[in-house]
Amino acid sequence: MDSAASCLELQLSEVEMLKSMYSEEELVFDGDCAPYLKILLNGDSLDDNTAELQTQIDEEGICLGFTFKILVDSHPAEIKFDFPKLYPEAAMPNVFVRTSGILSRQSQSKFRQKLDDFLLSLDKGEIMVLPVLDWVNEHLPGYVDSLDTPTETKSIGDGPCSFTRMWIYSHHIYSKFKRRDILAWASELSLQGFSMSGKPGMICAEGHTEDVEEYWARLRRLNWKRLVMKEREDVCCDSLDLLKRQFRFEVFEEKVFGTSKGSSSSFHSDIGLLRTFLQEHNCSHIFELYFGINGDSQSPGVDTSVGEGR
């Protein structure tokens, strides 16, 4: 059995154990887990399903993903796990904790760092979900308590603060699950900007520096063919009002520049429309940064093919 198949077997064994320990209300699986769960429910042999499942993992970008619903000092919270292809033998699980605003920005950043340190302390090759669950349940309440301290509440009022706008390039953004997370995390972190699916992919995120950096950290933990920060703009602001005036986008949304052809997962993106969109938001220089073409040029648009994939 090769390494990928061995990891699949370990992942399924871990999930089977978790399903026996937690109710459907406590443990919720992502929609793309259906191929994995079918094997467990039917008692099928992994050897008979490895090739088909591996194809879906490689071509569609599916992975085992699930969320634990927990309470932290009576506040609802979620612990999201995604298993990379080579977890647990050669990769760590992607872990995200959603706290619905019960942590300040500083507390969230400190907690994330401590969680990363804990993950790095675990031995590869061992199942990790239960140790991570225990650690989060033990340590997260302490960070909620710190929300009431003067040093934590100061940053959410008026006063000196930092604004960041980040431009991110991806080789492509096809996966509907990545697209879902891109939007959900931006909403959770109160970011503004946009994402452009297809090939190449583009993400612009703007907001409080701590929130943008957390967003970038989450994106990097996903599996990408290539993901690069192309430009970062930082502004120190004397007040929250000054920070708000830095925004160039009103919301965070997914942009589709073009019309559908055939199925909804196969369409072309008109780069000329992207250029116009960037011009409208005073970001013409980004077009040249990405494509080597003057963003103020009036030359005809270029079409690029995009479709569903990883």
Side-chain angles (χ1 to χ4, degrees):
M1 184 180 295
D2 63 24
S3 179
S6 175
C7 288
L8 272 177
E9 185 172 352
L10 290 170
Q11 290 178 20
L12 288 170
S13 297
E14 185 170 11
V15 167
E16 188 172 26
M17 176 188 68
L18 294 171
K19 281 174 60 66
S20 70
M21 297 173 62
Y22 294 91
S23 69
E24 293 182 357
E25 290 74 26
E26 296 171 313
L27 175 58
V28 180
F29 287 90
D30 292 354
D32 58 328
C33 287
Y36 295 92
L37 301 179
K38 179 181 177 182
I39 295 176
L40 293 178
L41 291 173
N42 295 343
D44 294 340
S45 167
L46 182 61
D47 293 337
D48 297 336
N49 293 271
T50 296
E52 179 182 355
L53 189 53
Q54 197 64 59
T55 298
Q56 290 179 286
I57 293 171
D58 293 336
E59 295 185 358
E60 300 177 24
I62 70 168
C63 69
L64 261 174
F66 46 89
T67 300
F68 287 92
K69 308 284 188 176
I70 64 173
L71 288 176
V72 181
D73 290 349
S74 300
H75 298 286
E78 298 179 349
I79 310 174
K80 176 74 167 67
F81 288 85
D82 288 319
F83 286 171
K85 178 180 177 180
L86 295 180
Y87 166 81
E89 293 184 354
M92 310 295 288
N94 296 317
V95 184
F96 309 103
V97 179
R98 301 176 181 139
T99 55
S100 302
I102 62 175
L103 298 187
S104 68
R105 291 186 177 89
Q106 287 87 350
S107 291
Q108 187 176 43
S109 178
K110 291 176 183 177
F111 176 79
R112 178 73 248 182
Q113 184 59 57
K114 291 296 184 181
L115 176 57
D116 287 344
D117 292 343
F118 177 73
L119 287 169
L120 291 174
S121 73
L122 299 175
D123 295 326
K124 290 180 180 178
E126 301 292 332
I127 60 175
M128 301 182 186
V129 173
L130 288 180
V132 172
L133 278 175
D134 290 341
W135 188 92
V136 171
N137 279 310
E138 179 181 352
H139 291 84
L140 185 55
Y143 290 85
V144 176
D145 291 341
S146 67
L147 183 61
D148 295 328
T149 65
T151 57
E152 296 296 332
T153 57
K154 182 178 179 180
S155 67
I156 61 177
D158 200 17
C161 47
S162 179
F163 170 89
T164 293
R165 181 182 301 109
M166 193 176 290
W167 295 92
I168 300 167
Y169 164 89
S170 171
H171 179 271
H172 62 261
I173 304 175
Y174 292 158
S175 167
K176 60 185 177 182
F177 307 107
K178 279 196 180 85
R179 291 161 65 183
R180 173 201 63 194
D181 289 340
I182 287 170
L183 293 174
W185 293 340
S187 175
E188 177 189 342
L189 296 168
S190 300
L191 300 180
Q192 295 171 210
F194 73 97
S195 67
M196 182 185 76
S197 302
K199 181 181 180 181
M202 177 185 290
I203 301 172
C204 173
E206 55 180 13
H208 284 270
T209 296
E210 298 93 337
D211 297 329
V212 175
E213 289 177 343
E214 170 66 15
Y215 188 66
W216 173 232
R218 294 186 188 187
L219 291 176
R220 293 202 315 271
R221 293 187 186 99
L222 300 177
N223 295 321
W224 301 91
K225 184 169 184 178
R226 188 181 182 204
L227 189 73
V228 179
M229 185 198 305
K230 296 289 286 186
E231 181 167 284
R232 172 173 175 158
E233 307 166 56
D234 293 301
V235 180
C236 293
C237 304
D238 293 333
S239 66
L240 191 59
D241 181 63
L242 180 58
L243 181 143
K244 291 178 178 178
R245 295 204 296 269
Q246 305 302 317
F247 287 97
R248 295 184 183 175
F249 302 91
E250 296 181 358
V251 296
F252 193 100
E253 59 184 338
E254 182 179 65
K255 303 298 295 185
V256 178
F257 298 104
T259 57
S260 297
K261 290 186 178 181
S263 68
S264 60
S265 62
S266 179
F267 55 91
H268 286 75
S269 197
D270 188 336
I271 300 304
L273 293 178
L274 168 64
R275 179 174 55 201
T276 300
F277 175 76
L278 292 174
Q279 289 172 346
E280 291 172 348
H281 291 83
N282 194 28
C283 299
S284 297
H285 70 289
I286 295 298
F287 192 87
E288 184 172 5
L289 182 67
Y290 269 69
F291 303 107
I293 304 172
N294 190 328
D296 293 320
S297 170
Q298 297 302 312
S299 59
V302 181
D303 287 346
T304 58
S305 299
V306 297
E308 191 60 39
R310 281 183 296 179

